[in-house]
Every structure is written in C-alpha cells, then in structure tokens.
Amino acid sequence: MEIFKYLEKYDYEQVVICQDKESGLKAIIAIHDTTLGPALGGTRMWTYESEEAAIEDALRLAKGMTYKNAAAGLNLGGGKTVIIGDPKKDKNEALFRAFGRYIQGLNGRYITAEDVGTTVADMDLIHEETDYVTGISPAFGSSGNPSPVTAYGVYVGMKAAAKAAFGTDSLEGKTIAVQGVGNVAYHLCKHLHEEGAKLIVTDINKEAVQRAVDDFGAEAVGINDIYGVECDIYAPCALGATVNDDTIPQLKAKVIAGSANNQLKEERHGDQIHEMGIVYAPDYVINAGGVINVADELYGYNAERAMKKVEGLYDTIDRIMQISKEENIPTYKAADRMAEERIATMKQSRSTFLQNGHHILSRRK
C-alpha cells in the first residue's frame, strides 16, 4: 500500500501507528480532516486479515466521519481508530489504558468513542488516561446508551424523506419494511408504531423478530424476502450494501431510510435508484444522531440540548432533498456536496483570516 499517495489523493492529515508490547495493543488512528474542529470518531476492534486491511479500514472510516460530522452541522472533523484484535479474547485494562495515553499525546486533535467491538466499559478505561473520549459511563457525566437517540434521528429523518416522496411527512398508515431489529431499530420501530405505521420486519435473530411482533404487531418475513415486500419505505438497519444489483429490481418502496452504514453497495446504485424515482436518505446523515449526542458531552452533556440538535436532522434531510430536486442529482451527491461546501467555506475563511493577519503584521513592521 502506497500510503502517502493514498493520503495525498484523499487529503488526509495524519496517521498514527500505536503499539504496546506488554498489553498487545496494535492500533491505527487515522485523522482525515480537522478544518471544522477536532476529529471525532469511534474506536473499532476487529480481527483484520492483514495490517494493510486495518489501515485501509481506519482511513475509509475516518473520511466517512468527516462527512458525517460536517453534514450534521457539528464543529468537529473526522477521525477513526481501529485496534487489531479479537474483541472477545484480546481485551485487557492495560491495552485500553495504553491506547488512552496515545490519544492524550495527540493533545485534543482526536476524540474517540465506542464503535464495533468496543463498549462503554472500554471507554471508561481509556478515560483513566485522557479526557478526549466520549460515550463513557453516565456516572462521569456521559450520555449513556446512544441507540435511542440514533433511532430518534432516523425517525425524524425518515419523516423528512417521506415528505419528499409522498408530499406529507406523516407516517400514519405507511407500511415500513425494517431489515434488522437490533437496539437502534427496535427503538425506531417503537416511534413508527406509535405514529400508526404498519411494520414488516426481519432479522437473523429470531428473538429480536418475535419481540417486534409482540410489542408492535409487526409482520415477520424471511431474511431474503424483505426486499420484495409491498411497502412504502424500506429501512435497512443491519448490514451495509443491501442496496445492490440483486435487491434494487425487487424493491417496491418509494423511500429508503434506515440506520445501517454504507447502504449503497456502490455509488452507481445511488444513481440507479435516483433514476427510478426512489427517495434515498443518505445513511451517514440520517444515522448521525449518535455522534450528535456524544458530541454534546464535549460541552457538558445536556440531554434536552442534544435531542434538539438531533431533531435538526429533519431539516438537514429536507435540505438534501431540495438540493437533489433543484439540481437533479442523487441525494448521496447532494449530501456530499453540502458537507464539502461547509468544509471549503471554513477553509476559505481561515485562509482569508490568516492573510489579513499577515498584512496587519507587515504594516506594523
């Protein structure tokens, strides 16, 4: 992997390789962009097939956080960490505390949180060595479980997408196919049920499906049957890449809006559903409630203030829909453009400020 060519191509700022022999720590911190503020992004622990695969994942995820944080209106840049190891076998206190010292050494350029393979308890261990960590235990003034907040953001974002497709943001009477009913999706189903939506659900976990059936009167279907059901909205809330060559011909939904990451297998699938007239709520925007919530911890967590910001995802999705319609571009491109323009504006502002400061100093001389 020609890492400097890759960093230059996508304009990354920094990659930090961390190791601690005694604890077994092997980690990569990738900082993509800090134009809007310190880089915020979670720590993922995974058994990668190679060190190169781990580095590539860290880089890809860090860039994604730049766009997520920018689109969410946060004054934060994008970063991510991956720890190479089995989260079921390789965790220990020394590992996370060593990692915390590496974060502390970055002096605020990077702030972490939990992600795939890490937990609140792991963040508490990191917190022993640094304050640059969010998603810690509520006892430390944290926000606790982010799933309900993420779900609420998806709910309000779905309503904005529905307005673009149906002319009204009411979900009453709408049939919504929810793929995956884990922690986030369960809370999403609760909001949808309370508004009077009809739910069709699937999950590899039969107990999760049964809970949705019992609590919300949902209809259960097979894993591969969810794509072709008669519905108004398809809500992918499990694996990524479920909008692909195989599933798109099956879709009967007019809206795609869910909590899963990387819902489009390739960008061309976003182009394809746009041409079909399917309204897509870009995943990294609609599922940003969790990061908005933990970001509020940086100001001293206030639940009411955080939820108010999450409610703003309705307006963000609405704006993306307007850009898409006005410029006749897919919504994923509209979201990218909105995030990129915000970063570019800040870069220009900083450049102008520095130039003016230089002129003032020159005149003084």
Side-chain angles (χ1 to χ4, degrees):
M1 180 179 186
E2 295 180 294
I3 192 163
F4 280 107
K5 282 188 178 180
Y6 190 96
L7 297 184
E8 185 177 2
K9 181 179 179 181
Y10 297 106
D11 201 18
Y12 285 81
E13 293 181 8
Q14 188 175 7
V15 176
V16 182
I17 308 295
C18 315
Q19 81 84 27
D20 181 71
K21 185 177 180 180
E22 284 71 26
S23 67
L25 174 70
K26 292 181 175 64
I28 299 101
I29 303 171
I31 298 175
H32 177 246
D33 189 287
T34 58
T35 301
L36 297 175
L40 173 66
T43 293
R44 177 169 296 193
M45 189 170 188
W46 198 251
T47 51
Y48 291 93
E49 61 185 28
S50 67
E51 292 177 2
E52 183 178 85
I55 293 170
E56 287 179 350
D57 200 31
L59 292 168
R60 178 182 61 84
L61 293 166
K63 186 175 180 228
M65 288 306 302
T66 294
Y67 280 76
K68 181 189 284 277
N69 292 337
L74 300 173
N75 294 319
L76 293 164
K80 205 79 171 185
T81 294
V82 299
I83 295 176
I84 301 172
D86 187 337
K88 295 180 180 179
K89 298 189 302 184
D90 298 331
K91 288 184 179 182
N92 59 74
E93 178 183 358
L95 181 147
F96 286 108
R97 293 190 64 164
F99 176 55
R101 292 192 290 275
Y102 277 106
I103 293 176
Q104 181 66 21
L106 290 170
N107 200 31
R109 276 180 53 77
Y110 170 67
I111 303 163
T112 199
E114 58 257 55
D115 198 275
V116 175
T118 60
T119 66
V120 172
D122 300 330
M123 297 306 109
D124 286 348
L125 292 174
I126 294 169
H127 186 233
E128 293 287 334
E129 302 290 344
T130 183
D131 288 330
Y132 300 119
V133 54
T134 59
I136 53 181
S137 296
F140 296 112
S142 174
S143 56
N145 180 11
S147 296
V149 185
T150 301
Y152 184 68
V154 175
Y155 168 64
V156 298
M158 184 184 289
K159 288 175 71 67
K163 186 176 81 167
F166 307 118
T168 173
D169 67 6
S170 174
L171 300 177
E172 183 178 2
K174 293 288 188 290
T175 299
I176 302 170
V178 183
Q179 183 196 45
V181 275
N183 290 332
V184 172
Y186 178 82
H187 290 284
L188 172 62
C189 286
K190 184 173 186 292
H191 290 299
L192 299 174
H193 175 68
E194 288 173 351
E195 189 168 336
K198 177 187 175 185
L199 299 172
I200 302 173
V201 301
T202 194
D203 197 297
I204 57 173
N205 184 337
K206 292 182 180 179
E207 291 181 0
V209 170
Q210 192 59 48
R211 184 166 69 147
V213 171
D214 293 342
D215 293 355
F216 311 124
E219 175 189 345
V221 299
I223 294 293
N224 296 319
D225 298 328
I226 194 74
Y227 308 110
V229 299
E230 292 286 347
C231 65
D232 300 294
I233 299 171
Y234 166 54
C237 297
L239 299 174
T242 63
V243 180
N244 56 52
D245 289 334
D246 294 328
T247 62
I248 289 174
Q250 301 179 55
L251 293 176
K252 296 179 175 65
K254 295 295 183 185
V255 174
I256 298 174
S259 64
N261 289 310
N262 305 314
Q263 294 169 23
L264 304 176
K265 186 171 183 181
E266 298 177 33
E267 287 187 348
R268 64 182 177 85
H269 295 121
D271 300 328
Q272 188 176 345
I273 58 176
H274 173 70
E275 291 167 4
M276 294 169 64
I278 297 175
V279 173
Y280 167 59
D283 48 40
Y284 70 79
V285 180
I286 197 172
N287 68 15
V291 72
I292 293 171
N293 192 51
V294 296
D296 195 78
E297 295 176 21
L298 303 174
Y299 305 96
Y301 185 66
N302 180 290
E304 184 178 348
R305 179 178 61 202
M307 290 304 288
K308 192 72 175 174
K309 292 176 184 175
V310 174
E311 285 176 7
L313 288 174
Y314 181 102
D315 294 332
T316 303
I317 294 291
D318 191 47
R319 177 61 184 144
I320 288 168
M321 298 302 162
Q322 291 175 19
I323 295 171
S324 173
K325 184 177 180 180
E326 290 167 3
E327 302 187 23
N328 192 27
I329 58 174
T331 52
Y332 80 88
K333 287 185 178 178
D336 286 356
R337 182 176 298 179
M338 190 173 70
E340 289 163 358
E341 285 179 353
R342 183 165 179 244
I343 294 168
T345 299
M346 182 57 70
K347 283 184 176 179
Q348 181 60 43
S349 175
R350 285 186 176 182
S351 176
T352 301
F353 178 81
L354 290 172
Q355 288 174 6
N356 290 341
H358 175 73
H359 293 326
I360 290 169
L361 288 173
S362 297
R363 287 199 300 270
R364 284 180 177 174
K365 290 178 180 178

